Amino acid sequence: MQRDPLDDSQKKPNLPSGEGIPAPSGEANLIDTDYVIGQDNIRGDFSFSLDIHGKVFIISAATVLLFVIMTLALQNEVEPLFSSIRNWLTGHLAWFFMSVANIFVVLCLALIVSPLGKVRLGGRDAKPDHSYIGWFSMLFAAGMGIGLMFYGVAEPMSHYSAAMGGVSLDASGARVDWAPLGGAAGDMKASADLAMAATIFHWGLHPWAIYAIVALSLALFSYNKGLPLSIRSIFYPLLGERVWGWPGHIIDILAVFATLFGLATSLGIGAEQAAAGIEYLFGIKSTNVSKVVLIIGITMIALWSVLSGLDKGVKMLSQINMGLALLLLLFIIIVGPTVAIFTGFFKNLVTYVEYLPALSNPFGRSDAEFTQGWTAFYWAWWISWSPFVGMFIARVSRGRTVREFLISVLLVPSLVSVLWMTTFGGTAIDQATVQGLVGVKDAVLELKLFAMLEGLPLKEITSLLGIVLVIVFFITSSDSGSLVIDTITAGGKVDAPVPQRVFWAIIEGVIAIALLLGGGLVALQAMAVSTGLPFAIVLMIGCISLVKGLMSEPRS
């Protein structure tokens, strides 16, 4: 049941202390529920404080710990299992992941142009908590991560090489090449255009539409409806009070699994690249032992960040990281093919729009390796990351209208991603096509960034900077991710005891180690896809709930 819209000056929702969600300002259609945030939590003061949602925390933690033990105990046996899981899911359900992502984009665009775009997050009179510059910078920060460091050079170059090779068929006439669409055999310009369009497709509107829908849903049901900042709250219009029971528990547990394994995929990829970079720069051989030592060391630094608190820990590291990322970006723009980068930015945007209908088509595709090996994995990975990124965006977006929110969340990070990919990928393609350098083309995936930097001045300094960036992205992702998982497993509380965040930060590192030892990149991708699938179904149902929630809100 829902209350009539109320005026903030007359009445405030009865929000318990300790959950940190501000009351709506002005008119907002609060949901009338007897549920109190944290009422089902287990609390205690032992040698450390404890405040957890018993069922969600215990089931999530026990399942993950069992998974880690089994993976480490059966390393040789699980590797082919992970490979089979990834191949089956992407081979049979690529159309589903692509369709889901398309639906999110269409829903975002529909909300932007509809009257529902006038709804203000936080109530009719809510004021933004952050200036446009500050807000945009945080959206920019959310759009940056280990993935951009790993794939910024690797993906454009991989697509370029595949497109140049054109279509290859096996004895049965099935395609076995990795070229996007039909490739562009032997045509360097067309191959470069197709490579950049395919890369931007994976880092542009589609992933940010996924994040935007999750963030908008969390913000609406927390700031306007007075519900806990948890994934289950999104489903109140469909489940009613049952959302506080087992249906809600299952939703939050799936969100925890998706976030944990999505983060573990990123952390594992980061460890692969950092270890390869250290071997490239210092000659320390990249082995499983070195990667495990690296993950343990970085996790220890992440724990320091957790214990230091948001202001002293992750905030400081994030500011340092953004400064270093901007420094590296500007350096490549200045000393690299500057004119090609600036002209390529606008040309790549046009090419992206041109190829977008074909690239986003989920049916009747002949480029199965590309759609299954690249697109389906990416969409599952973004979906598994969506509780993490969505909650971050929701927490900094109070006071924005839905239209303002969606336009900004879709465009600002997408444009940053286009600039990043154009700078890093465009420079690499320029080295291979114009300058005749073969290093970046021949390098393995995790070394392509460093091979590109080798073709520029100050290669030792920039390569070291690249390694530092990967490591600090690792730390901030682990710290921020543990905060999001802790919020979910603490029943929606945003200031639960620090030891719980320490636990989840350790678990993230342990999962990354287990997956690296149990199959490497294939295992990481398999678990991202496996946890992304059920959560994709959850989010599809959540879209209905989001629209119902928006329709009940007063509009500015």
Side-chain angles (χ1 to χ4, degrees):
M1 178 175 74
Q2 291 183 324
R3 296 175 186 164
D4 293 330
L6 57 94
D7 189 280
D8 180 58
S9 63
Q10 298 172 350
K11 190 172 183 179
K12 300 272 189 180
N14 184 24
L15 300 176
S17 60
E19 51 78 26
I21 298 172
S25 300
E27 282 188 283
N29 205 350
L30 284 163
I31 288 177
D32 186 6
T33 176
D34 294 330
Y35 183 82
V36 177
I37 296 175
Q39 72 176 36
D40 296 326
N41 283 17
I42 299 173
R43 300 177 182 84
D45 286 310
F46 309 101
S47 55
F48 56 88
S49 298
L50 189 70
D51 191 353
I52 59 173
H53 189 289
K55 296 180 178 66
V56 174
F57 182 96
I58 292 171
I59 293 175
S60 300
T63 305
V64 168
L65 288 173
L66 179 62
F67 170 84
V68 168
I69 292 170
M70 295 296 291
T71 302
L72 291 176
L74 303 170
Q75 291 179 33
N76 295 330
E77 289 81 2
V78 296
E79 183 172 356
L81 175 63
F82 285 134
S83 180
S84 298
I85 290 172
R86 186 197 64 174
N87 293 339
W88 191 92
L89 288 174
T90 57
H92 290 80
L93 295 174
W95 65 269
F96 173 75
F97 286 114
M98 295 179 69
S99 298
V100 167
N102 288 343
I103 289 170
F104 287 138
V105 172
V106 171
L107 178 58
C108 285
L109 297 177
L111 290 176
I112 288 172
V113 300
S114 78
L116 297 179
K118 296 180 179 179
V119 173
R120 188 172 295 277
L121 299 175
R124 194 165 184 172
D125 299 332
K127 304 296 182 185
D129 294 333
H130 306 279
S131 67
Y132 271 115
I133 294 177
W135 188 46
F136 286 158
S137 67
M138 284 184 279
L139 295 180
F140 173 79
M144 301 291 290
I146 293 171
L148 284 179
M149 293 298 297
F150 189 90
Y151 288 108
V153 174
E155 185 172 357
M157 281 305 305
S158 297
H159 294 331
Y160 172 77
S161 298
M164 278 289 288
V167 174
S168 299
L169 306 177
D170 63 12
S172 65
R175 279 185 63 174
V176 293
D177 62 273
W178 286 74
L181 302 176
D187 189 332
M188 289 193 296
K189 181 182 181 303
S191 295
D193 289 344
L194 181 56
M196 292 308 303
T199 301
I200 295 169
F201 171 59
H202 291 147
W203 293 85
L205 290 178
H206 281 73
W208 285 102
I210 296 169
Y211 296 154
I213 291 298
V214 176
L216 177 59
S217 302
L218 286 168
L220 177 72
F221 285 97
S222 294
Y223 297 141
N224 295 60
K225 308 295 187 183
L227 299 182
L229 189 63
S230 193
I231 301 297
R232 72 170 73 202
S233 298
I234 299 170
F235 295 85
Y236 193 95
L238 299 177
L239 296 174
E241 291 296 310
R242 287 176 297 168
V243 82
W244 313 125
W246 274 107
H249 301 341
I250 293 171
I251 290 169
D252 277 351
I253 290 168
L254 288 175
V256 170
F257 290 159
T259 305
L260 272 175
F261 287 103
L263 276 169
T265 300
S266 297
L267 302 184
I269 286 173
E272 292 265 13
Q273 188 176 32
I278 290 171
E279 179 179 359
Y280 167 79
L281 206 56
F282 302 109
I284 302 173
K285 192 168 180 60
S286 176
T287 63
N288 280 342
V289 173
S290 67
K291 293 170 190 174
V292 170
V293 171
L294 191 61
I295 292 175
I296 292 173
I298 295 172
T299 300
M300 295 300 294
I301 301 173
L303 291 179
W304 164 82
S305 179
V306 168
L307 294 170
S308 298
L310 283 175
D311 288 335
K312 293 182 180 179
V314 69
K315 184 177 180 180
M316 180 187 71
L317 289 172
S318 295
Q319 291 172 342
I320 292 173
N321 219 30
M322 294 314 301
L324 293 177
L326 182 61
L327 181 64
L328 183 60
L329 182 71
L330 291 175
F331 174 81
I332 296 174
I333 291 174
I334 293 170
V335 305
T338 307
V339 175
I341 291 172
F342 278 116
T343 57
F345 175 79
F346 298 102
K347 184 185 73 172
N348 290 339
L349 279 174
V350 173
T351 306
Y352 165 59
V353 173
E354 177 186 342
Y355 279 108
L356 182 58
L359 289 169
S360 57
N361 173 29
F363 303 110
R365 298 280 291 269
S366 62
D367 52 345
E369 296 290 350
F370 172 78
T371 56
Q372 297 171 16
W374 284 99
T375 306
F377 161 66
Y378 265 129
W379 289 177
W381 190 17
W382 299 146
I383 288 168
S384 67
W385 259 69
S386 61
F388 170 39
V389 179
M391 194 168 291
F392 171 80
I393 296 173
R395 292 181 68 173
V396 300
S397 299
R398 186 176 184 273
R400 305 292 175 184
T401 66
V402 169
R403 181 172 293 121
E404 179 184 17
F405 172 89
L406 289 175
I407 291 174
S408 299
V409 173
L410 285 180
L411 291 185
V412 173
S414 293
L415 290 173
V416 170
S417 296
V418 173
L419 178 60
W420 186 277
M421 291 299 182
T422 298
T423 301
F424 283 72
T427 298
I429 291 175
D430 182 83
Q431 289 177 348
T433 58
V434 178
Q435 302 175 42
L437 302 178
V438 296
V440 68
K441 184 178 178 181
D442 296 337
V444 295
L445 278 181
E446 56 266 29
L447 278 176
K448 284 189 182 294
L449 169 66
F450 304 106
M452 183 273 288
L453 293 174
E454 188 174 355
L456 301 174
L458 306 176
K459 63 180 181 181
E460 291 85 2
I461 296 175
T462 55
S463 295
L464 180 61
L465 181 58
I467 295 171
V468 171
L469 274 169
V470 170
I471 291 174
V472 182
F473 273 132
F474 190 139
I475 295 167
T476 54
S477 295
S478 177
D479 190 344
S480 303
S482 63
L483 174 62
V484 169
I485 295 168
D486 185 38
T487 299
I488 298 172
T489 56
K493 288 194 170 185
V494 295
D495 57 354
V498 171
Q500 296 169 202
R501 287 175 60 195
V502 170
F503 172 80
W504 289 116
I506 293 172
I507 287 295
E508 289 158 16
V510 170
I511 292 175
I513 290 172
L515 290 174
L516 276 176
L517 296 179
L521 188 60
V522 170
L524 294 166
Q525 292 176 340
M527 291 314 299
V529 174
S530 300
T531 54
L533 175 61
F535 201 62
I537 298 171
V538 168
L539 294 185
M540 285 292 292
I541 300 171
C543 289
I544 302 171
S545 193
L546 170 62
V547 174
K548 287 174 69 70
L550 286 171
M551 290 177 68
S552 69
E553 282 295 305
R555 296 157 200 172
S556 300

